[in-house]
Amino acid sequence: MELSFPSINTKYSKPVLGAVLVDAHGENSTDSYWLLRIKSELDDPKGVMESWSLDANVCTWYGLTCSYDQVVGLNLSWSGLSGSIPDDLWRLSSLQTIDLSTNILTGEIPPELGKLQNLRVLLLHSNYLSGKIPPEIGLLKELQVLRMGNNLLSGEIPPSIGNLSELRVLGLAYCQLNGSIPAEIGLLKNLTSLDLQNNSLSGLIPGEIRGCKELQNFAASNNRLEGDIPSLMGSLKSLENLKYLNFLGNGLSGNIPSELNKLSQLEVLDLSRNRLSGTISLLNTQLKNLTSLVLSDNALNGSIPSNFCLGDLNLQELLLARNELLGKFPLELLSCSSLQQLDLSDNRFSGELPPSLEKLANLTDLALNNNSFTGTLPLEIGSLSNLENLYLFGNMITGRIPAEIGKLQRLRIIYLYDNQMSGHIPRELTNSSSLTEIDFFGNHFTGSIPDTIGKLKNLVLLQLRQNDLSGPIPPSLGYCRGLQFLVLADNKLSGSLPPTFRFLSELSTITLYNNSFEGPLPQSLFLLKNLKIINFSHNRFTGSIFPLTGSNSLTALDLTNNSFSGPLPPTLATSRNFRRLRLAYNRLNGSISSEFSQLTELNFLDLSYNNLVGEVPAQLSNCTKLEHFLLNNNQLTGTMQPWLGGLQQLGELDFSSNNFHGKMPAELGNCSKLLKLSLHSNNLSSTIPQEIGNLTSLNVLNLQRNNFSGPIPETIQHCMKLYELRLSENFLTGFIPAELGGLSELQVILDLSKNFLSGEIPTSLGNLMKLERLNLSSNQLQGEIPSSLGKLTSLHMLNLSSNHLRGQIPTTFSAFPLSSFMGNDQELCGPPLVACPESEGQSKRRLSNAAVIGIIMAIVSTSTVICLVMIYAMLRIWCKWRRQVSISNLDANAGFDHENKIREEKKRWGFVEEKWRINVGEYWKVDSLALVPSPQDKESPTTTTTSCIFNLKMDQDSMEKTLV
């Protein structure tokens, strides 16, 4: 909070010069000469210096004061003069007062002014002077008042200021001065007022300030001062006259020194908007003259000292907002009976509000908002008869509004929003006839709006949004003729608008959305000429929207989701400051008027979901500030014109679900800020222009259900921010560009279904790790499904049906339904389709292994038979040898030939057996092989067959792993 004091000029104060024009008995020809030269150097549009002429005595000239025929005073303030300060001013050596304040003077302050040794008052404030303060100012030994604030002065405050030993008032506020506060200011022992506020001064507050023993007003707010507040400021008697101390808006840190309590004459202390911490150490019991204490916007903690306010003192303003104070409501403050303004907002206070608040009978402003107060609003609040402003929003207050609130006849503002209050709004509230603003947003109030609301003749704001109010709007509301803001949205209100609304001639904003209002609008609403913002969306209104078009000041009109009908009134175009026009989800018909082209400030136009016909007027190309252009779901016709590319502020363009035909204009590529482009469900044809790649900010591209042909443009790879791409149900041909795999932000869907795309699915699509839905169905895609697609772990919808895909489906896709893969070649297999048959290579390998096993088994069997035959033959021979020892060599030879015949027969038998074993092996399935030998192997005396089977099993395991 900024405070001012009369002895220091601000930007808006008008100085008063008490100069008295004395009789002149002669004329100083030297002064008149230089004065006329000064006149010639200034632009005087008001003619205030017309009397400056040699035809009259110089002491009669306007703005001059003489003493003994010498010009001692020059006062041309508030004269509209422009130009630079004339260098020749120093020639008027007798001048004691110069007042050129509040003009339009520019340029620098001439250093020659330092030659005016008799000068006591120099007032140059409230001009447009620039440059530095000349150090020659320090030569004006007699100067008592120096005010140069509210200019464009820059640089540092010259240390030579310390030479002005007679200076009482130094005003350098509202400039662009930098550097530190010079320590030499401490030499100004007669200084009573120091105003340095609103500059860029930095550094510490100099301790030398203690030398200003007569200082009463010290304002250094809104600079860049830092460090601690010097404790010596309170400990030195030299500052015991200080009445006004203002360090608002700096970077001061540390604790508030308790020594400030010794400034017994202090009336105003403002340390707000700094970085002060620690507890509050100031006691009103010692600062007996303190009327205003402002400590807002710091990091103070703790609570109010228990002995903060004792006795009948004069503290009127206590502002502690936006700190870190905590605890319950400080009862210590109830002793400050003189308090008029109490601001504890935006702290950490909690607990219930005490009924003893009524002790603060002088309160005009009570701000307790944005804390954690609980409980109900005490009935005793009605005893604060002087209360004008009550701010309790942003707490956890519950219960009803007490009827006693109606006793507050001076109450102007009551803000209870963002609490948990309930019950009815009491009729007694309307007895507070001074009310101008009511804000009950975000509570749980029920029942109806009091039918006596019309008693509040001064009401400007009525904010009841987000409650559970029901019933109609009381007709008496129309008698609140000063009402400007009516906010009743998000309730359960119903009925039609009362005809008395025609009396609300000052109404600027009216929002009724999310209620159940119905019926046609009163025609008399056309009389409300000051309406700027109207939001009737999400109700049940019917009839024409014409009654809402009477104001030429409309900036926003939202009637979304009603049942309005009839044409779009061309009179809407008379509101040249229109920014938002939303009429979607109604039953409006007719065409879009070309007069809408006059709405050159429009940035949001939503006419979607109506029954509009005809073409989009080319004149809308004048609406170059359009950011949202929504005409979808109408019956519009014609082509999309190249002028759309001139709307370079477009972020959203939706012309979908109409009857547009022809080409998609390549000029749309100029709309570089476009985030959403939706043209689906039209009759657009030809190719998708390559310029689509210029839309590098695009998030959503939906061109499905048109007649686009040709390939998908590869330039789409530049749309790196796409998260939704729909090109389905067109006549697109060619391959799917591998570049689509670079669209790493694709998340919602990639839909290329129902086209004539061919070739294989690019493996690069496996890079779309965020993709949730992929639809490539009903194309002419070939080849296998890339295994890289199995990495799409975010995918929850997949459709690859009705193509010519083959091969094995990646195992990670087994959870998708049959419909995701139906309608492909029979060679597409794997879960959820039928299991894949063995491939040709596998069959050959497995058959070969089985054959090897069969051959080995046959060889072993044959060898065994041969051995048995040989043993049998040998036994026979041995037996014959025993019986026929005497047989001749001829008989022996004949026996040998017989054995050969037997051996040959066995060989034939052995060969047949081996072939049978091989044939059996040809029908073995690899999956049936195990370490357990087959029935044919159980009699085998060797492990050869078992070992071969084991090796074959290991080969099978390896093969299965390659398919995982």
Side-chain angles (χ1 to χ4, degrees):
M1 178 177 178
E2 297 185 13
L3 301 173
S4 59
F5 37 86
S7 57
I8 297 180
N9 175 63
T10 65
K11 187 177 288 190
Y12 305 105
S13 62
K14 179 176 179 179
V16 177
L17 186 66
V20 179
L21 187 63
V22 300
D23 293 335
H25 301 290
E27 180 178 326
N28 187 320
S29 59
T30 304
D31 286 351
S32 62
Y33 171 79
W34 294 114
L35 285 167
L36 290 175
R37 286 199 53 166
I38 290 170
K39 174 184 177 180
S40 67
E41 295 179 21
L42 294 171
D43 185 12
D44 180 17
K46 295 183 179 181
V48 297
M49 292 186 287
E50 287 182 358
S51 61
W52 289 24
S53 169
L54 294 178
D55 295 336
N57 188 304
V58 68
C59 292
T60 64
W61 293 3
Y62 175 83
L64 298 183
T65 303
C66 291
S67 176
Y68 301 104
D69 297 335
Q70 292 184 327
V71 178
V72 297
L74 173 63
N75 183 357
L76 295 176
S77 64
W78 294 88
S79 298
L81 301 177
S82 59
S84 301
I85 297 176
D87 296 339
D88 294 327
L89 264 178
W90 74 272
R91 305 280 189 179
L92 304 174
S93 57
S94 300
L95 277 177
Q96 299 177 17
T97 299
I98 296 177
D99 188 353
L100 298 177
S101 64
T102 321
N103 282 292
I104 317 174
L105 299 175
T106 56
E108 298 185 359
I109 299 173
E112 289 83 1
L113 292 181
K115 298 179 180 180
L116 294 172
Q117 292 299 304
N118 295 309
L119 201 61
R120 297 181 180 180
V121 176
L122 178 57
L123 306 178
L124 302 178
H125 60 85
S126 303
N127 279 287
Y128 295 89
L129 301 173
S130 58
K132 298 182 178 181
I133 299 174
E136 289 81 358
I137 291 293
L139 300 174
L140 302 174
K141 302 293 186 180
E142 301 296 321
L143 200 63
Q144 298 178 14
V145 179
L146 175 59
R147 299 176 69 185
M148 295 189 292
N150 195 19
N151 276 291
L152 304 176
L153 300 174
S154 59
E156 299 185 1
I157 300 174
S160 62
I161 288 285
N163 298 329
L164 304 178
S165 57
E166 299 298 321
L167 199 64
R168 289 171 172 76
V169 175
L170 177 57
L172 302 177
Y174 294 96
C175 289
Q176 300 172 13
L177 301 173
N178 53 40
S180 59
I181 301 175
E184 287 78 3
I185 282 183
L187 300 173
L188 305 179
K189 301 183 183 302
N190 295 304
L191 196 65
T192 62
S193 180
L194 175 59
D195 190 357
L196 305 176
Q197 59 187 329
N198 288 82
N199 280 287
S200 297
L201 300 173
S202 57
L204 305 177
I205 300 171
E208 288 80 359
I209 200 75
R210 65 184 180 271
C212 303
K213 296 182 179 180
E214 302 298 325
L215 193 62
Q216 297 180 16
N217 303 307
F218 185 10
S221 62
N222 296 310
N223 279 284
R224 299 176 183 174
L225 301 175
E226 55 190 8
D228 295 349
I229 299 173
S231 58
L232 55 83
M233 291 194 67
S235 62
L236 296 175
K237 280 191 172 182
S238 59
L239 293 178
E240 64 183 4
N241 294 317
L242 196 63
K243 295 181 179 180
Y244 182 93
L245 182 59
N246 187 348
F247 290 153
L248 171 153
N250 282 282
L252 301 175
S253 57
N255 295 338
I256 300 174
S258 59
E259 287 81 1
L260 292 184
N261 286 306
K262 297 180 181 179
L263 299 176
S264 58
Q265 300 301 314
L266 199 61
E267 297 176 0
V268 175
L269 176 59
D270 192 343
L271 304 179
S272 60
R273 286 172 46 200
N274 279 284
R275 301 171 188 168
L276 300 173
S277 57
T279 59
I280 298 174
S281 57
L282 300 172
L283 302 175
N284 190 233
T285 51
Q286 292 177 266
L287 299 171
K288 297 181 182 299
N289 291 298
L290 196 65
T291 61
S292 178
L293 176 59
V294 186
L295 303 177
S296 302
D297 297 286
N298 281 288
L300 300 172
N301 53 45
S303 191
I304 309 296
S306 58
N307 56 345
F308 176 78
C309 197
L310 298 174
D312 187 15
L313 301 174
N314 197 34
L315 187 63
Q316 298 174 15
E317 184 179 47
L318 179 60
L319 309 181
L320 305 177
R322 292 170 294 282
N323 279 285
E324 298 175 11
L325 303 172
L326 46 76
K328 294 185 177 181
F329 182 91
L331 299 178
E332 294 79 11
L333 298 181
L334 300 180
S335 300
C336 301
S337 57
S338 57
L339 268 181
Q340 296 178 13
Q341 296 176 309
L342 175 60
D343 188 354
L344 304 179
S345 62
D346 294 275
N347 279 286
R348 300 179 184 176
F349 291 111
S350 59
E352 298 187 4
L353 299 179
S356 49
L357 262 177
E358 61 181 345
K359 292 182 180 180
L360 300 178
N362 291 307
L363 270 185
T364 60
D365 298 89
L366 178 59
L368 305 177
N369 50 282
N370 293 328
N371 281 284
S372 298
F373 289 116
T374 57
T376 59
L377 198 58
L379 306 181
E380 290 77 6
I381 198 82
S383 300
L384 301 177
S385 57
N386 291 301
L387 198 62
E388 297 179 4
N389 302 303
L390 178 59
Y391 303 100
L392 297 178
F393 61 88
N395 283 286
M396 293 181 283
I397 298 174
T398 58
R400 298 173 175 266
I401 300 174
E404 286 75 6
I405 204 84
K407 298 178 181 179
L408 304 180
Q409 291 299 305
R410 297 185 180 182
L411 192 63
R412 297 188 303 109
I413 296 175
I414 178 170
Y415 283 179
L416 303 179
Y417 63 86
D418 283 333
N419 277 287
Q420 299 174 20
M421 303 187 72
S422 58
H424 288 44
I425 298 174
R427 288 170 56 93
E428 288 81 0
L429 179 66
T430 62
N431 294 332
S432 300
S433 56
S434 297
L435 273 171
T436 60
E437 298 181 24
I438 297 175
D439 193 340
F440 295 166
F441 164 83
N443 280 281
H444 305 291
F445 291 118
T446 56
S448 59
I449 301 171
D451 55 9
T452 54
I453 193 77
K455 294 167 61 177
L456 303 179
K457 305 296 184 185
N458 299 307
L459 199 61
V460 173
L461 166 68
L462 179 59
Q463 161 71 282
L464 303 178
R465 183 186 158 215
Q466 260 189 40
N467 281 283
D468 294 313
L469 299 172
S470 58
I473 296 176
S476 70
L477 184 61
Y479 300 112
C480 301
R481 296 175 183 265
L483 195 63
Q484 297 180 25
F485 304 95
L486 177 60
V487 184
L488 305 179
D490 293 311
N491 278 286
K492 299 175 182 177
L493 300 169
S494 58
S496 57
L497 298 187
T500 53
F501 264 35
R502 67 182 184 275
F503 300 130
L504 301 178
S505 57
E506 300 298 319
L507 199 61
S508 170
T509 298
I510 177 170
T511 62
L512 306 178
Y513 58 88
N514 289 343
N515 278 288
S516 297
F517 292 114
E518 59 188 7
L521 301 174
Q523 292 294 317
S524 57
L525 293 185
F526 191 82
L527 301 174
L528 305 183
K529 302 298 183 182
N530 289 308
L531 280 174
K532 294 182 179 179
I533 298 175
I534 303 173
N535 192 339
F536 288 3
S537 62
H538 304 284
N539 278 284
R540 303 171 185 171
F541 288 113
T542 58
S544 172
I545 68 174
F546 179 78
L548 297 176
T549 65
S551 172
N552 296 335
S553 304
L554 283 174
T555 60
L557 175 62
D558 191 343
L559 306 179
T560 304
N561 196 14
N562 280 280
S563 296
F564 288 111
S565 58
L568 289 173
T571 50
L572 284 172
T574 59
S575 295
R576 302 299 172 84
N577 292 318
F578 237 131
R579 290 177 175 80
R580 296 174 65 87
L581 179 57
R582 305 191 65 179
L583 306 177
Y585 291 94
N586 279 285
R587 300 173 183 174
L588 301 173
N589 53 40
S591 60
I592 301 172
S593 172
S594 61
E595 295 185 29
F596 281 14
S597 62
Q598 301 174 41
L599 304 179
T600 55
E601 298 297 316
L602 203 61
N603 59 47
F604 205 128
L605 177 60
D606 185 359
L607 305 178
S608 59
Y609 291 93
N610 279 287
N611 299 315
L612 301 175
V613 297
E615 298 188 2
V616 180
Q619 292 86 344
L620 290 184
S621 60
N622 294 335
C623 304
T624 55
K625 295 184 179 180
L626 268 178
E627 298 175 12
H628 304 267
F629 195 4
L630 312 178
L631 301 180
N632 51 291
N633 294 85
N634 279 284
Q635 301 173 26
L636 298 169
T637 57
T639 59
M640 295 186 62
Q641 295 297 316
W643 59 262
L644 289 169
L647 304 180
Q648 297 189 17
Q649 300 301 315
L650 273 182
E652 181 180 16
L653 179 64
D654 193 342
F655 279 17
S656 60
S657 298
N658 279 286
N659 297 312
F660 292 113
H661 64 273
K663 295 182 178 181
M664 175 180 168
E667 288 79 3
L668 282 178
N670 298 330
C671 302
S672 58
K673 296 182 179 179
L674 206 58
L675 301 177
K676 177 182 178 181
L677 176 58
S678 186
L679 306 178
H680 70 83
S681 305
N682 279 287
N683 297 313
L684 299 173
S685 57
S686 190
T687 59
I688 300 173
Q690 293 286 335
E691 288 79 2
I692 200 76
N694 296 339
L695 304 179
T696 54
S697 298
L698 205 60
N699 296 149
V700 176
L701 176 60
N702 190 342
L703 303 180
Q704 63 186 11
R705 300 193 194 97
N706 277 287
N707 299 317
F708 288 114
S709 58
I712 299 172
E714 295 179 356
T715 56
I716 205 167
Q717 65 181 304
H718 302 304
C719 303
M720 294 294 295
K721 296 182 180 180
L722 271 176
Y723 66 82
E724 181 176 344
L725 176 58
R726 300 174 188 262
L727 302 179
S728 63
E729 298 185 54
N730 281 285
F731 296 94
L732 300 174
T733 56
F735 296 165
I736 297 175
E739 290 81 0
L740 291 184
L743 302 178
S744 58
E745 295 301 315
L746 267 181
Q747 177 177 348
V748 177
I749 192 170
L750 171 59
D751 189 352
L752 307 179
S753 62
K754 297 183 180 179
N755 280 286
F756 294 94
L757 300 172
S758 58
E760 296 186 351
I761 299 174
T763 59
S764 62
L765 295 189
N767 298 327
L768 305 179
M769 299 303 295
K770 297 180 181 179
L771 194 63
E772 297 175 355
R773 291 185 286 172
L774 175 62
N775 192 347
L776 305 179
S777 64
S778 301
N779 279 287
Q780 300 175 7
L781 301 174
Q782 302 171 345
E784 296 185 355
I785 301 173
S787 59
S788 62
L789 295 189
K791 298 184 298 182
L792 301 180
T793 55
S794 298
L795 211 61
H796 61 74
M797 194 285 284
L798 174 66
N799 194 346
L800 303 178
S801 63
S802 301
N803 280 288
H804 303 296
L805 300 173
R806 57 182 173 80
Q808 184 153 353
I809 297 172
T811 56
T812 52
F813 287 171
S814 61
F816 288 108
L818 279 171
S819 57
S820 295
F821 307 100
M822 296 292 288
N824 280 283
D825 293 348
Q826 292 183 356
E827 295 181 14
L828 184 65
C829 60
L833 300 179
V834 296
C836 292
E838 296 175 349
S839 64
E840 182 179 355
Q842 291 172 328
S843 298
K844 287 182 177 179
R845 185 185 69 178
R846 294 175 184 173
L847 182 60
S848 177
N849 289 339
V852 169
I853 293 171
I855 290 171
I856 292 173
M857 292 174 66
I859 291 173
V860 171
S861 300
T862 303
S863 299
T864 302
V865 171
I866 291 173
C867 290
L868 291 174
V869 170
M870 291 179 67
I871 292 171
Y872 175 77
M874 290 176 69
L875 288 174
R876 288 287 299 273
I877 293 171
W878 183 75
C879 290
K880 288 182 178 181
W881 178 76
R882 288 290 300 265
R883 290 193 300 267
Q884 302 175 359
V885 175
S886 59
I887 297 177
S888 63
N889 290 336
L890 181 61
D891 294 336
N893 290 336
F896 181 77
D897 292 338
H898 177 73
E899 292 299 326
N900 285 337
K901 292 179 182 178
I902 295 174
R903 187 179 295 113
E904 291 298 327
E905 184 178 352
K906 293 295 183 181
K907 285 182 180 179
R908 288 196 297 272
W909 176 83
F911 174 77
V912 172
E913 183 188 48
E914 183 177 354
K915 183 177 181 180
W916 174 80
R917 296 295 294 264
I918 293 174
N919 289 338
V920 171
E922 288 178 352
Y923 293 96
W924 283 352
K925 299 295 183 182
V926 174
D927 290 342
S928 69
L929 298 179
L931 292 177
V932 180
S934 65
Q936 293 87 348
D937 299 325
K938 287 182 180 179
E939 297 177 0
S940 174
T942 69
T943 59
T944 304
T945 305
T946 303
S947 176
C948 291
I949 294 172
F950 177 77
N951 289 336
L952 184 60
K953 177 66 177 176
M954 293 299 293
D955 291 342
Q956 172 68 7
D957 288 342
S958 300
M959 180 183 70
E960 289 179 352
K961 288 180 181 178
T962 64
L963 298 177
V964 173

